[in-house]
C-alpha cells in the first residue's frame, strides 16, 4: 500500500498516536507523518504510506495554513491552553486599528524563538523533554515567514485568526508574542490546520472513519493520493524517455528551469526524482525509481 493518506486529526491524540493507529488498522509497516500537530490541534495531517515515505521529508518542507483562537489576558507555560497559567493581566480596550497595528508586526519574514514545549532539539534533546524536567535553556531564533495573517473576529478577550506560514512556524508563539505586544499576555486556545503543502481539509479523512474504511479496500484505495500528487507545489521538470533512464541511474541531465528545488517527471507525468537545479543541471536529492 503506497501513497499519501490525509487524516483530519481530532483533538487529543498526538501525531505519533495517529501513525500507530493507521499502521495497526491498515496493517502497513511503513507509515510516517509530515509535520507534527500538537495534541490539542486538529486538522490536516498527511501520512505517507509505503514507498511514499521516501518523500515525507519534502512534504514537510511545504507551507502551512491554520485557523487559530487566541485567548488574551493569561500566559501559560506551554503557550497554549494545555499548560498552567503563569501570568495574568487585564486586557486593554481593543479596536480593529489597534489589533491590525500589532498583527502587522508579524507579517513577512522575522526571527522567532521556538517554545520550550516543542520537538526542537537542543544539545541532542527535545526541548519538551528538558521543559518537563523543569529546565529552561537558551534557544536560538529561526527565521520564519508569515505570508498571510488575517483577523477574522475579536471580542474583549479573544482573537480569531487565519495564518499562512512557512515550515517551522509556531502559532503558539505567535499567540504569546501578540499578548506581549498588547501588554496583557496571551495563549493559544484552539488550532486547526487547514493546509499542509498541497493538501487541504478537502483531501482529509476524519480519523474516526478510518476503521470502517479499512474494511473496504476499494474505497480506501480511492482515498490514497499517489506520490506524484504529493509534491505538486514544486515546479515540474519533464524529461524525455531517454533522460528518464539517466535519471533512474542518478546521472545528471540538463534542466532548462530556474534554480531551485523541482520534481522530475517522465513523459507520462510519473514522479522520478526530487532535485535541485544547479547551473542548468539536475542535482538529485532523492531518486524514486
Amino acid at each position: 500500500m503506497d501513497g499519501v493518506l490525509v487524516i483530519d486529526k481530532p483533538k487529543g491524540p498526538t501525531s505519533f498516536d495517529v501513525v500507530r493507529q493507521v499502521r495497526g488498522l491498515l496493517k502497513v509497516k511503513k507509515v510516517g507523518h509530515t509535520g507534527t500537530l500538537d495534541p490539542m490541534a486538529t486538522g490536516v495531517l498527511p501520512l505517507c504510506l509505503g514507498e511514499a515515505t521516501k518523500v515525507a521529508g519534502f512534504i514537510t518542507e511545504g507551507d502551512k495554513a491554520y485557523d487559530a483562537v487566541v485567548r488574551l489576558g493569561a500566559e501559560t507555560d506551554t503557550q497554549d491552553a494545555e499548560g498552567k497559567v503563569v501570568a495574568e493581566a487585564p486586557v486593554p480596550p481593543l479596536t480593529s486599528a489597534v489589533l491590525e497595528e500589532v498583527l502587522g508586526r508579524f507579517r513577512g519574514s522575522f526571527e522567532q524563538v521556538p517554545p520550550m514545549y516543542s520537538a526542537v532539539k537542543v544539545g541532542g534533546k527535545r526541548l519538551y523533554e528538558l521543559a518537563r524536567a523543569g529546565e529552561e535553556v537558551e534557544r536560538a531564533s529561526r527565521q520564519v515567514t508569515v505570508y498571510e495573517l488575517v483577523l477574522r473576529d475579536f471580542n474583549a478577550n479573544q482573537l480569531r485568526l487565519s495564518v499562512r506560514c512557512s515550515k517551522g512556524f509556531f502559532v503558539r508563539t505567535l499567540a504569546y508574542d501578540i499578548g506581549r505586544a498588547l501588554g496583557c499576555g496571551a495563549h493559544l486556545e484552539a488550532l486547526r490546520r487547514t493546509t499542509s503543502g498541497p493538501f487541504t481539509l478537502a483531501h482529509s479523512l476524519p480519523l474516526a472513519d478510518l476503521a470502517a474504511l479499512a474494511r473496504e479496500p476499494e474505497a480506501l484505495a480511492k482515498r490514497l493520493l499517489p506520490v506524484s500528487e504529493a509534491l505538486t507545489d514544486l515546479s515540474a521538470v519533464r524529461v524525455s524517455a531517454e533522460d528518464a533512464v539517466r535519471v533512474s541511474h542518478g546521472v545528471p541531465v540538463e534542466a532548462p528551469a530556474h534554480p531551485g528545488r523541482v520534481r522530475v517527471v517522465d513523459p507520462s507525468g510519473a514522479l522520478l526524482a526530487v532535485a535541485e537545479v544547479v547551473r542548468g543541471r539536475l542535482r538529485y536529492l532523492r531518486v524514486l525509481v
Side-chain angles (χ1 to χ4, degrees):
M1 188 179 295
D2 305 309
V4 179
L5 179 65
V6 186
I7 294 294
D8 185 349
K9 177 189 151 334
K11 183 178 180 179
T14 67
S15 298
F16 295 105
D17 290 336
V18 176
V19 167
R20 283 192 290 269
Q21 189 168 339
V22 170
R23 186 183 290 128
L25 286 170
L26 303 186
K27 303 297 188 286
V28 179
K29 290 184 178 180
K30 295 169 66 177
V31 181
H33 67 75
T34 60
T36 302
L37 274 178
D38 291 337
M40 68 165 280
T42 69
V44 177
L45 183 65
L47 303 181
C48 292
L49 280 59
E51 288 299 297
T53 55
K54 293 179 179 179
V55 300
F58 301 111
I59 299 174
T60 304
E61 298 282 323
D63 298 336
K64 312 290 190 297
Y66 302 88
D67 288 336
V69 179
V70 177
R71 174 65 62 175
L72 303 175
E75 292 181 354
T76 70
D77 57 356
T78 59
Q79 299 182 350
D80 63 23
E82 297 201 327
K84 67 177 182 179
V85 174
V86 293
E88 294 182 276
V91 181
L94 301 177
T95 65
S96 295
V98 167
L99 292 172
E100 284 297 340
E101 190 280 325
V102 168
L103 295 181
R105 306 178 199 178
F106 303 103
R107 296 184 178 112
S109 296
F110 54 90
E111 296 290 314
Q112 185 186 62
V113 178
M116 276 301 301
Y117 281 88
S118 67
V120 174
K121 282 188 175 181
V122 172
K125 289 189 175 182
R126 303 284 187 187
L127 283 175
Y128 64 75
E129 294 174 338
L130 298 173
R132 288 169 182 166
E135 299 181 47
E136 182 163 352
V137 298
E138 186 174 345
R139 289 97 68 198
S141 64
R142 303 185 298 179
Q143 187 174 72
V144 294
T145 301
V146 172
Y147 303 104
E148 188 176 32
L149 177 56
V150 178
L151 177 63
R152 296 296 182 190
D153 195 11
F154 69 95
N155 58 35
N157 60 3
Q158 190 183 75
L159 311 179
R160 292 184 178 273
L161 308 172
S162 291
V163 187
R164 188 168 63 85
C165 54
S166 61
K167 71 158 190 169
F169 182 79
F170 287 94
V171 185
R172 281 185 288 138
T173 301
L174 172 66
Y176 172 87
D177 289 340
I178 289 172
R180 284 295 173 102
L182 288 170
C184 60
H187 63 270
L188 186 65
E189 188 170 62
L191 185 67
R192 183 160 177 77
R193 187 155 69 191
T194 57
T195 302
S196 179
F199 305 111
T200 68
L201 286 169
H203 298 107
S204 302
L205 172 73
L207 183 61
D209 295 349
L210 184 62
L213 197 65
R215 297 190 291 270
E216 302 177 30
E218 291 186 5
L220 177 61
K222 291 179 180 178
R223 298 299 308 220
L224 274 179
L225 300 172
V227 178
S228 59
E229 292 185 22
L231 301 169
T232 53
D233 50 343
L234 296 180
S235 298
V237 171
R238 193 176 298 270
V239 298
S240 66
E242 185 178 359
D243 278 344
V245 176
R246 295 189 176 94
V247 171
S248 69
H249 289 94
V251 178
V253 300
E254 292 185 0
H258 294 295
R261 187 169 292 183
V262 297
R263 55 192 166 97
V264 186
V265 300
D266 68 12
S268 71
L271 184 64
L272 300 174
V274 179
E276 287 184 334
V277 178
V278 180
R279 293 188 291 276
R281 295 178 72 82
L282 294 176
R283 184 174 70 187
Y284 305 112
L285 301 173
R286 189 67 187 257
V287 176
L288 303 170
V289 291

